């Protein structure tokens, strides 16, 4: 007869055994994969994860570790199982890494700046002629999934006044941190260019430069948004006096994007969807033809060349005017 005490002891041992089995099954977590790059006897490895985009469009995840002297790790593109390994030094926040394939052969170089919260890197091929820009932010949740290529991008139509003159504005967050647009004054029908940067991650604060069609700078315009879709505007144009006004968001449009081929070769595109049947169909067909042309060009390249260098193409759309019957 088996006592209750023996049953409880058996259950406890079973729980411990199952726990060890589960732990063993998770030996290939991202953390463990980074640590394994340092060898079986590695100790004191600090592991960090950074998410971001390549060329402002292709989501990427960097998994990196360091032992106080050398950085080792790998990066991978969203939608791909391929890993691109790297190792090297970081001196005074400056990155000097070699990119390696699974056989340990050098396939490229990574350089740039790495900080506690973010990184700005460049990936170069072996000839150092072809460069891809990489923008990253540190994350604690690498398994949570990377951002979609259109996350944070938008196109807005606004209405208000600038320098006491009624105006309409088309603003587009077309790449990470970059804002472009056109302002048109209603009475004179004159248009001016706006170009600038987001001053914070959610892009609630924007610094724009106002210029005429000839590219001559006219002044600065600062925007600060609230939770209700309004912008508080301050402008310094032609003189040192700051003038204030308000802009209201009339409409906001989603951005469509696509990324194909997650390796060094491929294409990406970004364009707005305006919910205007004829325009959206026309624009979509243009991108379809563009993708077809690029695929045909890739098909003519030698496979070894694409693996060593890579060909990439990027396309985007700038919208300058949105009217009731016309889009420019």
């Amino acid at each position: 007869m088996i006592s209750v005490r023996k049953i409880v002891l058996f259950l406890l041992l079973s729980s411990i055994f199952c726990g060890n089995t589960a732990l063993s099954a998770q030996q290939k977590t991202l953390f463990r994969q980074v640590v394994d790059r340092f060898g079986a006897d590695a100790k004191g490895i600090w592991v960090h994860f950074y998410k971001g985009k390549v060329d402002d469009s292709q989501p990427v995840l960097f998994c990196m570790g360091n032992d106080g002297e050398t950085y080792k790790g790998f990066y991978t593109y969203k939608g791909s199982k391929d890993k691109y390994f790297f190792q090297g030094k970081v001196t005074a926040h400056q990155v000097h890494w070699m990119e390696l394939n699974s056989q340990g052969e050098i396939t490229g170089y990574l350089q740039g700046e790495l900080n506690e919260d973010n990184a700005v890197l460049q990936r170069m091929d072996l000839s150092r002629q072809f460069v891809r820009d990489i923008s990253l932010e540190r994350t604690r949740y690498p398994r949570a999934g990377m951002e979609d290529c259109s996350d944070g991008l938008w196109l807005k139509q606004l209405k208000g006044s600038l320098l006491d003159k009624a105006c309409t504005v088309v603003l587009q967050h077309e790449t990470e941190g970059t804002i472009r647009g056109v302002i048109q004054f209603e009475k004179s029908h004159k248009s001016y260019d706006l170009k600038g940067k987001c001053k914070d991650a959610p892009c609630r604060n924007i610094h724009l430069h106002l210029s005429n069609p000839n590219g001559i700078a006219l002044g600065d315009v600062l925007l600060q948004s609230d939770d209700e879709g309004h912008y508080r505007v301050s402008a310094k144009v032609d003189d040192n006096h700051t003038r204030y006004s308000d802009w209201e968001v009339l409409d906001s449009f989603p951005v469509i994007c696509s990324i194909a081929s997650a390796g060094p070769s491929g294409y990406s595109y970004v364009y707005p969807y305006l919910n205007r049947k004829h325009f959206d169909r026309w624009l979509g067909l243009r991108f379809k033809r563009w993708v077809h042309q690029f695929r045909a060009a890739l098909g003519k390249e030698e496979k070894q060349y694409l693996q060593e260098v890579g060909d990439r193409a990027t396309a985007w759309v700038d919208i300058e005017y949105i009217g009731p019957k016309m889009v420019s």
Side-chain angles (χ1 to χ4, degrees):
M1 183 174 180
I2 301 175
S3 68
V4 174
R5 182 176 179 181
K6 288 183 178 180
I7 293 175
V8 172
L9 179 60
F10 174 77
L11 290 174
L12 286 173
L13 290 173
S14 298
S15 299
I16 293 173
F17 177 78
C18 291
N20 288 335
T21 302
L23 181 63
S24 177
Q26 295 184 23
Q27 289 302 302
K28 291 302 180 181
T29 61
L30 293 175
F31 180 90
R32 174 51 56 186
Q33 291 178 55
V34 173
V35 173
D36 286 349
R37 296 286 297 161
F38 290 84
D41 299 327
K43 295 181 179 180
I45 307 299
W46 292 88
V47 178
H48 304 295
F49 303 101
Y50 288 76
K51 291 179 184 177
K53 293 181 182 179
V54 178
D55 291 337
D56 289 325
S57 58
Q58 192 169 11
V60 68
L61 171 66
F62 269 69
C63 307
M64 62 183 73
N66 75 85
D67 58 3
E69 295 184 1
T70 303
Y71 277 74
K72 293 183 180 181
F74 59 89
Y75 67 93
T76 181
Y77 297 102
K78 184 177 181 179
S80 173
K81 296 181 180 179
D82 295 332
K83 293 184 177 64
Y84 301 86
F85 302 99
F86 59 82
Q87 67 181 53
K89 303 288 186 179
V90 175
T91 306
H93 301 293
Q94 297 301 307
V95 172
H96 304 282
W97 294 341
M98 295 182 298
E99 181 187 278
L100 311 168
N101 60 21
S102 57
Q103 287 76 42
E105 300 168 333
I106 300 176
T107 56
Y109 303 97
L110 291 162
Q111 66 179 27
E113 187 172 343
L114 174 69
N115 293 298
E116 183 72 17
D117 299 320
N118 51 63
V120 178
L121 307 176
Q122 286 187 325
R123 189 270 178 188
M124 297 176 291
D125 70 302
L126 289 174
S127 67
R128 299 181 185 267
Q129 294 181 357
F130 298 91
V131 178
R132 305 195 67 193
D133 295 320
I134 304 172
S135 177
L136 303 169
E137 289 188 3
R138 188 173 171 184
T139 178
R140 295 176 58 189
Y141 308 102
R143 292 294 191 186
M146 289 175 270
E147 290 183 348
D148 188 73
C149 53
S150 66
D151 287 353
L153 306 184
W154 44 256
L155 175 71
K156 295 179 181 179
Q157 186 178 28
L158 305 100
K159 186 179 181 66
S161 65
L162 185 70
L163 307 178
D164 302 321
K165 299 177 182 178
C167 64
T168 57
V169 182
V170 175
L171 277 186
Q172 185 171 348
H173 186 189
E174 60 182 25
T175 58
E176 288 189 348
T178 299
I179 306 293
R180 294 181 186 269
V182 173
I183 181 171
Q184 183 181 50
F185 292 99
E186 294 183 359
K187 288 188 177 181
S188 65
H189 298 290
K190 290 184 178 180
S191 298
Y192 298 89
D193 295 326
L194 294 167
K195 181 181 179 181
K197 292 284 187 180
C198 301
K199 304 302 291 183
D200 53 14
C203 204
R204 294 171 64 97
N205 295 281
I206 303 171
H207 184 188
L208 298 171
H209 302 289
L210 181 70
S211 61
N212 64 19
N214 296 321
I216 299 176
L218 301 177
D220 292 333
V221 180
L222 303 179
L223 307 182
Q224 186 175 25
S225 68
D226 58 23
D227 295 330
E228 299 179 357
H230 298 88
Y231 284 92
R232 181 62 173 166
V233 183
S234 59
K236 280 187 178 182
V237 179
D238 295 331
D239 53 36
N240 292 324
H241 294 91
T242 301
R243 303 184 189 183
Y244 298 93
S245 58
D246 294 288
W247 292 353
E248 179 184 359
V249 178
L250 296 179
D251 212 340
S252 183
F253 304 96
V255 172
I256 294 174
C257 68
S258 181
I259 296 172
S261 182
S265 301
Y267 61 85
S268 61
Y269 57 79
V270 179
Y271 66 90
Y273 181 79
L274 302 183
N275 198 25
R276 283 165 168 76
K277 181 178 179 180
H278 296 295
F279 177 81
D280 292 330
R281 183 175 182 275
W282 172 79
L283 188 58
L285 288 175
R286 286 178 66 90
F287 272 92
K288 187 176 181 179
R289 288 196 296 268
W290 177 81
V291 168
H292 178 76
Q293 292 170 356
F294 184 72
R295 282 177 175 171
L298 278 182
K300 296 178 181 179
E301 298 285 2
E302 295 181 6
K303 185 176 181 181
Q304 183 177 358
Y305 169 81
L306 291 177
Q307 291 175 343
E308 293 177 353
V309 177
D311 273 358
R312 299 204 61 81
T314 304
W316 65 94
V317 174
D318 290 328
I319 301 295
E320 297 185 349
Y321 174 77
I322 303 175
K325 296 183 178 181
M326 187 178 75
V327 176
S328 172

